[in-house]
């Protein structure tokens, strides 16, 4: 009997503690807005600075920041927090391709319903960007924030030693460079110096850094999917640009100009000069500058394009955006804070602290950013490229679209089992089936 | 003792069973009739998920890949484990050291072992290919060749698990009465005849256990291809469990993934029942 009484006491105490914990959490969230930033050092410093400033200017609207909790990926953490209803009020670093899924699930605040949002966003971004971030229901759920354009880095010493075309390259010039650079240095019958390397794994997101920027470059920034005359979403990439990209990449692998083996486990092959070029973003610059050998020189160029290409050369911008979750009790205040992150001063500070670029009009020619770019000449080509970047199509199933393309990419580009025409056609058919079932 | 005391004592287990076994199973059954991406409300779709399974070529390829893995893995596992158990069953010097050494991979983390093998099998820098090059033989793309990637994984998985089956076979071998062998010796039976007509029939129950355990273990193939090949090249190492995982946690098709899980469980059940019948007939 006594033990049962004790058990009851323990249960009561446990329930009391749980209740108290719940109340503490409740009181805590009642007090302030929460802002989750990315967990790299630059962005934590950025968040810290802006939250401090906000707290001084708006003591009536307390706000605290926290780097996104550790996990396999930030997407996984955000999903878990949405399911558990523990989302922050504001989240920066949302991959643009994920937004439509969350918007359709009704967990995001439509920002265009907030006071001052439309005016601000039209002043900051051009109509193409606004079109890209507008959801299928006509609302905008994301603030276009930062981009990292994918470009071609080329070892200048190796490029200067080549006969013929120098970067920036058309397909023919790049393939010719591959022919000259590819080498068996130790005479064992296997190539160990290549023109380039790009991840061969058939994981959907790897296509964002090889097929997709090349497709955008070849097609002047065309979408992968678009609405047809009947209003249905259909694959839009069964075209000569996509076929050309597959053929170009297939040739690079078939002729051993690109390494098929995984080089990611070894010392950075670009700096070890095992590869002459790579498709990458501005994040590489800081790394290369820090660890390069003396005398190692490189240049940044636009992505290779078809020989007959005309017009600007687009690329993938790897956009990360800011969203406000509908668990936020004061979306207007949250937007007022977000606005301080993405005004001109905020954008400049982002560049200074993280070497990433804001997604705004004409960064390369705006006098406001001139001093920064003059001090960081290595970033200037990326700043210029921000005029011609694209995100991904606004679709709930964009991951599956990339996965389908990835499967065909592997069959055609890596293993040469299909013609580029057949691979692209099959991918488009599969995407159409997928879109019909949505 | 009060009348309800036994109930109180089994309550933790019952609670655990209901929360972590019964509820997930029932919820999974419910899920198979719904479309659900975790964050949006569930949508009832009737039998659509089940009909989709029959049209899903990639699922059937993943099932076939898993069977291909099993066809190599199970016999290899039995031959290696039984052979080594036979050797270890004899009174040889250092037998206990070898028993521990063969068992060691079983207790090492699967992820660690897989990463180690990935390095061993690397085309350019792997030890295996370096040995081939030293012998003036051509290198092999162990994990990137469409024809052999799954078999490379099967060999690796055998190395990882064989220690456990050696122990099981050792127990089986040691339970065979020695007088049978003595009688066979008197009749002038060869070693092979003793093995074929005494050892094998006597360890049949152990053999059945090993076959069932390695079949079920093989059907749950995930870590090895997930880390070593991500299902490539060209989905030739995509296992059924990996595909179910991909549907659930990459595309968030929870309902469809649950349906695939049920269909796959049915396939496993059929295989195990067939195995049981066959082995019983043999006995």
């Amino acid at each position: 009997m006594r033990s049962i009484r004790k058990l009851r006491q323990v249960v009561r105490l446990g329930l009391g503690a749980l209740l108290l914990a719940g109340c503490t959490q409740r009181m805590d969230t009642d007090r302030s807005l929460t802002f989750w930033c990315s967990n790299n050092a630059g962005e934590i410093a950025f968040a810290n600075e802006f939250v401090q400033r906000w707290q001084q200017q708006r003591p009536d609207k307390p706000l605290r920041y926290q780097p996104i909790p550790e996990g396999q990926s930030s997407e996984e953490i955000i999903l878990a927090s949405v399911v558990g209803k523990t989302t922050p009020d504001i989240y920066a670093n949302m991959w643009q391709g994920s937004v439509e899924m969350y918007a359709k699930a009704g967990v995001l605040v439509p920002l265009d319903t907030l006071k001052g949002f439309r005016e601000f966003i039209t002043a900051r971004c051009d109509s193409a960007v606004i079109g890209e971030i507008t959801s299928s229901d006509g609302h905008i759920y994301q603030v276009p924030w930062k981009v990292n354009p994918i470009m071609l880095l080329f070892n200048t010493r190796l490029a200067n030693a080549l006969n013929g075309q120098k970067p920036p390259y058309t397909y023919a010039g790049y393939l010719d460079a591959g022919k000259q650079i590819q080498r068996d240095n130790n005479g064992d019958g296997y190539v160990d110096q290549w023109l380039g390397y790009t991840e061969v794994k058939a994981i959907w997101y790897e296509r964002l850094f090889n097929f997709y920027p090349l497709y955008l470059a070849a097609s002047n920034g065309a979408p992968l999917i678009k609405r047809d005359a009947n209003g249905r979403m259909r694959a839009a990439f069964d075209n000569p640009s996509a076929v050309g990209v597959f053929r170009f990449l297939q040739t690079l692998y078939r002729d051993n100009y690109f390494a098929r083996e995984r080089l990611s486990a070894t010392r950075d092959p670009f700096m070890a000069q095992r590869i002459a070029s790579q498709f990458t973003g501005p994040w590489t610059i800081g790394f290369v500058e820090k660890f390069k050998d003396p005398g190692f020189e490189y240049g940044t160029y636009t992505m290779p394009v078809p020989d007959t290409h005309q017009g600007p050369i687009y690329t993938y911008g790897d956009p990360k955006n800011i969203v406000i979750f509908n668990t936020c009790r004061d979306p207007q205040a949250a937007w007022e804070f977000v606005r301080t992150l993405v005004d001109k001063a905020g954008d400049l500070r982002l560049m200074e602290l993280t070497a990433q670029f804001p997604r705004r009009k004409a960064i390369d020619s705006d006098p406001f950013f001139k001093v920064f770019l003059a001090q960081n000449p290595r970033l200037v080509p990326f700043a210029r490229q921000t005029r011609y970047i694209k995100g991904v199509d606004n679709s709930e199933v964009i991951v599956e679209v990339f996965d389908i393309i990835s499967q065909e990419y592997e069959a055609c580009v890596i293993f040469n089992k299909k013609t580029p025409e057949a691979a692209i056609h099959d991918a488009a058919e599969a995407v159409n089936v997928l879109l019909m079932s949505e | 003792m009060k009348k309800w005391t036994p109930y109180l004592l089994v309550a933790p287990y019952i609670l655990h069973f209901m929360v972590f076994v019964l509820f997930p199973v029932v919820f999974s059954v419910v899920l198979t009739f719904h479309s659900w991406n975790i964050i949006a409300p569930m949508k009832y779709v009737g039998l659509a998920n089940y009909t989709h399974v029959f049209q899903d070529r990639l699922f059937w390829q993943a099932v076939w890949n898993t069977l291909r893995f099993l066809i190599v893995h199970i016999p290899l596992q039995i031959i290696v484990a039984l052979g080594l158990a036979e050797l270890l069953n004899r009174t040889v010097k250092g037998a206990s050291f070898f028993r521990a050494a063969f068992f060691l991979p079983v207790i090492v983390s699967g992820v660690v072992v897989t990463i180690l093998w990935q390095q061993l099998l690397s085309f350019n820098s792997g030890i295996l290919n370096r040995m081939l090059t030293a012998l003036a033989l051509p290198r092999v793309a162990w994990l990137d060749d469409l024809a052999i990637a799954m078999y490379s994984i099967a060999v690796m998985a055998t190395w990882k698990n064989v220690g456990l089956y050696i122990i099981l076979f050792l127990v089986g071998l040691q339970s065979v009465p020695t007088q049978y062998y003595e009688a066979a010796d008197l009749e002038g039976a060869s070693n092979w005849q003793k093995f074929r007509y005494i050892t094998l029939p006597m360890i049949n129950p152990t053999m059945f256990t090993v076959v069932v355990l390695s079949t079920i273990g093989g059907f749950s193939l995930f870590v090895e291809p997930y880390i070593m090949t991500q299902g490539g090249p060209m989905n030739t190492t995509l296992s059924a469990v990996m595909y179910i995982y991909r549907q659930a946690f990459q595309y968030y098709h929870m309902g469809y993934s649950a349906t695939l899980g049920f269909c796959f469980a049915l396939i496993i059940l059929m295989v195990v029942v067939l195995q049981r019948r066959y082995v019983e007939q043999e006995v």
Side-chain angles (χ1 to χ4, degrees):
Chain A
M1 201 59 199
R2 257 168 81 187
S3 60
I4 294 297
R5 214 174 290 146
K6 261 189 186 165
L7 188 71
R8 272 189 197 147
Q9 269 179 342
V10 170
V11 170
R12 266 192 215 131
L13 272 172
L15 284 174
L18 276 175
L19 200 67
L20 198 66
C23 287
T24 316
Q25 200 184 10
R26 187 72 232 160
M27 279 160 64
D28 192 37
T29 50
D30 278 348
R31 267 206 312 271
S32 59
L33 294 170
T34 313
F35 167 43
W36 278 7
C37 62
S38 176
N39 51 16
N40 67 64
E43 286 188 48
I44 292 172
F46 177 79
N48 182 41
E49 197 174 305
F50 280 79
V51 169
Q52 300 280 351
R53 192 180 302 164
W54 173 264
Q55 284 178 335
Q56 282 166 8
Q57 289 167 354
R58 295 291 303 271
D60 59 316
K61 299 283 180 195
L63 190 144
R64 63 189 174 87
Y65 79 95
Q66 178 194 317
I68 184 167
E70 277 296 331
Q72 196 167 294
S73 67
S74 56
E75 283 80 18
E76 185 185 279
I77 299 298
I78 286 298
L79 184 76
S81 67
V82 168
V83 174
K85 299 198 188 306
T86 56
T87 44
D89 298 286
I90 306 157
Y91 174 56
N93 220 40
M94 175 76 97
W95 181 57
Q96 192 171 303
S98 302
V99 174
E100 188 67 3
M101 180 179 82
Y102 290 118
K104 280 200 170 164
V107 298
L108 297 177
V109 171
L111 301 175
D112 51 324
T113 59
L114 300 174
K115 212 165 63 187
F117 178 82
R118 278 271 178 202
E119 298 78 6
F120 183 89
I121 215 69
T122 43
R124 187 172 190 262
C125 304
D126 57 37
S127 56
V129 175
I130 294 171
E132 196 180 290
I133 58 160
T134 302
S135 182
S136 53
D137 66 3
H139 286 294
I140 298 177
Y141 294 90
Q142 53 191 322
V143 183
W145 182 35
K146 59 172 189 175
V147 285
N148 286 290
I150 304 302
M151 298 186 75
L152 177 75
L153 252 59
F154 211 104
N155 182 318
T156 320
R157 194 179 57 81
L158 289 174
N160 288 340
L162 300 177
N163 297 317
Q165 198 182 333
K166 302 275 183 289
Y169 283 116
T170 61
Y171 290 170
Y174 194 67
L175 292 171
D176 186 48
K179 197 173 182 179
Q180 295 181 57
I181 281 170
Q182 173 225 64
R183 196 163 299 163
D184 170 14
N185 283 323
N186 58 7
D188 65 354
Y190 295 96
V191 173
D192 43 31
Q193 178 180 295
W194 297 270
L195 171 63
Y197 170 72
T198 178
E199 197 55 73
V200 296
K201 285 187 284 191
I203 298 178
W204 66 273
Y205 55 78
E206 297 296 353
R207 302 296 80 80
L208 296 172
F209 306 104
N210 38 52
F211 163 77
Y212 192 49
L214 285 166
Y215 172 70
L216 291 171
S219 64
N220 287 321
L224 289 174
I225 50 178
K226 67 177 180 191
R227 218 167 272 286
D228 67 5
N230 302 320
R232 289 178 310 181
M233 294 302 283
R234 305 280 291 170
F237 59 86
D238 192 358
N239 58 40
S241 300
V243 170
V245 172
F246 263 36
R247 178 163 291 116
F248 170 61
L249 287 162
Q250 189 185 46
T251 312
L252 287 169
Y253 281 104
R254 192 194 56 215
D255 294 350
N256 251 322
Y257 301 159
F258 267 35
R260 222 185 244 110
E261 66 160 321
R262 288 178 197 131
L263 300 179
S264 42
T266 60
R267 189 198 164 196
D268 183 280
F270 182 62
M271 287 199 288
Q273 306 202 42
R274 294 180 71 198
I275 57 168
S277 67
Q278 61 177 329
F279 305 140
T280 188
W283 61 81
T284 305
I285 301 298
F287 176 74
V288 175
E289 287 300 306
K290 197 171 172 184
F291 297 109
K292 69 179 182 183
D293 293 329
F296 182 83
E297 267 308 316
Y298 62 98
T300 307
Y301 310 94
T302 48
M303 296 295 282
V305 284
D307 301 345
T308 54
H309 182 83
Q310 286 189 329
I313 298 174
Y314 278 84
T315 191
Y316 174 56
D318 193 21
K320 298 286 167 58
N321 297 340
I322 304 175
V323 295
I324 299 175
F325 284 99
N326 68 358
T327 44
C328 178
R329 286 157 297 104
D330 193 349
Q332 190 62 42
W335 159 239
E336 293 301 331
F337 169 71
V338 170
R339 197 175 169 147
T340 68
L341 305 178
V342 292
D343 62 10
K344 270 194 173 177
D347 283 343
L348 178 61
R349 203 67 191 121
L350 173 78
M351 290 164 76
E352 287 168 349
L353 288 170
T354 69
Q356 299 179 79
F357 294 92
R359 197 165 196 194
R360 64 160 53 241
K361 293 174 192 168
I363 305 164
D364 56 327
S365 59
D366 192 323
F368 195 80
F369 303 108
K370 211 173 168 183
V371 176
F372 171 79
L373 291 174
Q375 287 165 350
N376 296 277
R378 286 280 184 201
L379 295 176
V380 173
F382 292 100
R384 277 196 213 112
Q385 183 70 63
T386 58
R387 286 174 179 266
Y388 304 108
I389 52 171
K390 289 269 176 178
V392 292
D393 299 297
N394 231 337
S395 166
E396 206 182 348
V397 292
I398 196 68
V399 167
E400 285 162 272
V401 170
F402 273 107
D403 197 57
I404 288 168
I405 292 171
S406 211
Q407 302 292 328
E408 296 297 334
Y409 177 97
E410 194 181 30
C412 169
V413 171
I414 309 297
F415 289 103
N416 214 2
K417 296 279 180 192
K418 273 185 168 181
T419 64
E421 287 81 1
I424 288 293
H425 182 70
D426 290 352
E429 294 262 285
V431 167
N432 285 337
V433 171
L434 171 75
L435 293 170
M436 267 193 296
S437 65
E438 285 306 305
Chain B
M1 197 199 280
K2 296 275 181 194
K3 205 177 166 185
W4 44 262
T5 308
Y7 296 103
L8 188 71
L9 292 172
V10 295
Y13 174 75
I14 299 288
L15 196 70
H16 175 272
F17 174 78
M18 286 171 76
V19 172
F20 295 107
V21 180
L22 192 64
F23 172 73
V25 170
V26 173
F27 186 62
S28 302
V29 176
V30 174
L31 259 184
T32 63
F33 301 104
H34 290 82
S35 163
W36 186 44
N37 72 351
I38 310 182
I39 50 174
M42 281 188 195
K43 200 169 86 185
Y44 179 74
V45 293
L47 291 171
N49 285 330
Y50 286 95
T51 52
H52 188 191
V53 172
F54 292 101
Q55 297 155 3
D56 190 345
R57 276 191 301 182
L58 202 50
F59 173 66
W60 295 107
Q61 187 185 342
V63 171
W64 171 237
N65 290 340
T66 312
L67 290 173
R68 262 190 328 125
F69 170 81
L70 286 174
I71 289 165
V72 174
H73 176 65
I74 297 174
L76 193 65
Q77 187 121 275
I78 289 170
I79 292 166
V80 175
L82 190 55
L84 290 171
E86 261 288 324
L87 289 174
L88 292 173
N89 196 31
R90 295 163 193 202
T91 43
V92 288
K93 260 190 176 178
S96 53
F97 165 77
F98 285 112
R99 275 177 211 173
F102 288 132
F103 194 72
L104 198 64
V106 179
I107 53 170
V108 177
S109 148
V111 176
V112 173
V113 166
T114 308
I115 292 171
L116 181 81
W117 272 79
Q118 197 178 13
Q119 302 295 323
L120 286 175
L121 300 175
S122 163
F123 183 77
N124 257 9
S125 51
I127 291 173
L128 225 56
N129 274 341
R130 284 186 185 196
M131 282 160 64
L132 290 176
T133 311
L135 296 168
L137 292 167
R139 289 182 203 171
V140 179
W142 301 105
L143 297 174
D144 295 316
D145 189 306
L146 300 174
I148 58 173
M150 187 50 111
Y151 305 120
S152 302
I153 289 176
V155 171
M156 181 257 150
T158 303
W159 178 86
K160 164 91 175 89
N161 300 317
V162 80
L164 178 69
Y165 300 111
I166 289 175
I167 301 291
L168 291 176
F169 276 127
L170 261 176
V171 173
L173 289 173
Q174 283 168 2
S175 65
V176 181
T178 49
Q179 51 268 45
Y180 292 145
Y181 294 113
E182 287 161 8
D185 284 337
L186 286 174
E187 296 291 330
S190 66
N191 280 342
W192 169 248
Q193 284 171 325
K194 282 189 276 181
F195 179 74
R196 172 71 186 85
Y197 297 107
I198 301 172
T199 311
L200 272 185
M202 291 303 286
I203 61 164
N204 217 332
T206 313
M207 184 73 83
F208 178 70
T209 309
V210 169
V211 169
V212 170
L213 282 180
S214 53
T215 303
I216 293 170
F219 270 124
S220 59
L221 178 71
F222 180 81
V223 174
E224 293 87 350
Y226 185 75
I227 293 173
M228 290 170 100
T229 57
Q230 290 85 38
M234 283 180 69
N235 295 315
T236 50
T237 62
L238 179 73
S239 71
V241 176
M242 221 176 129
Y243 185 63
I244 294 167
Y245 169 86
R246 192 186 277 182
Q247 285 292 338
F249 300 105
Q250 188 173 319
Y251 304 142
Y252 308 124
H253 293 162
M254 292 297 168
Y256 185 54
S257 178
T259 315
L260 290 175
F262 270 95
C263 293
F264 190 53
L266 211 65
I267 293 169
I268 296 175
L269 188 72
M270 279 160 54
V271 171
V272 173
V273 167
L274 282 175
Q275 271 181 344
R276 199 185 162 89
R277 277 197 185 169
Y278 178 75
V279 175
E280 273 173 358
Q281 274 173 5
E282 285 284 293
V283 174

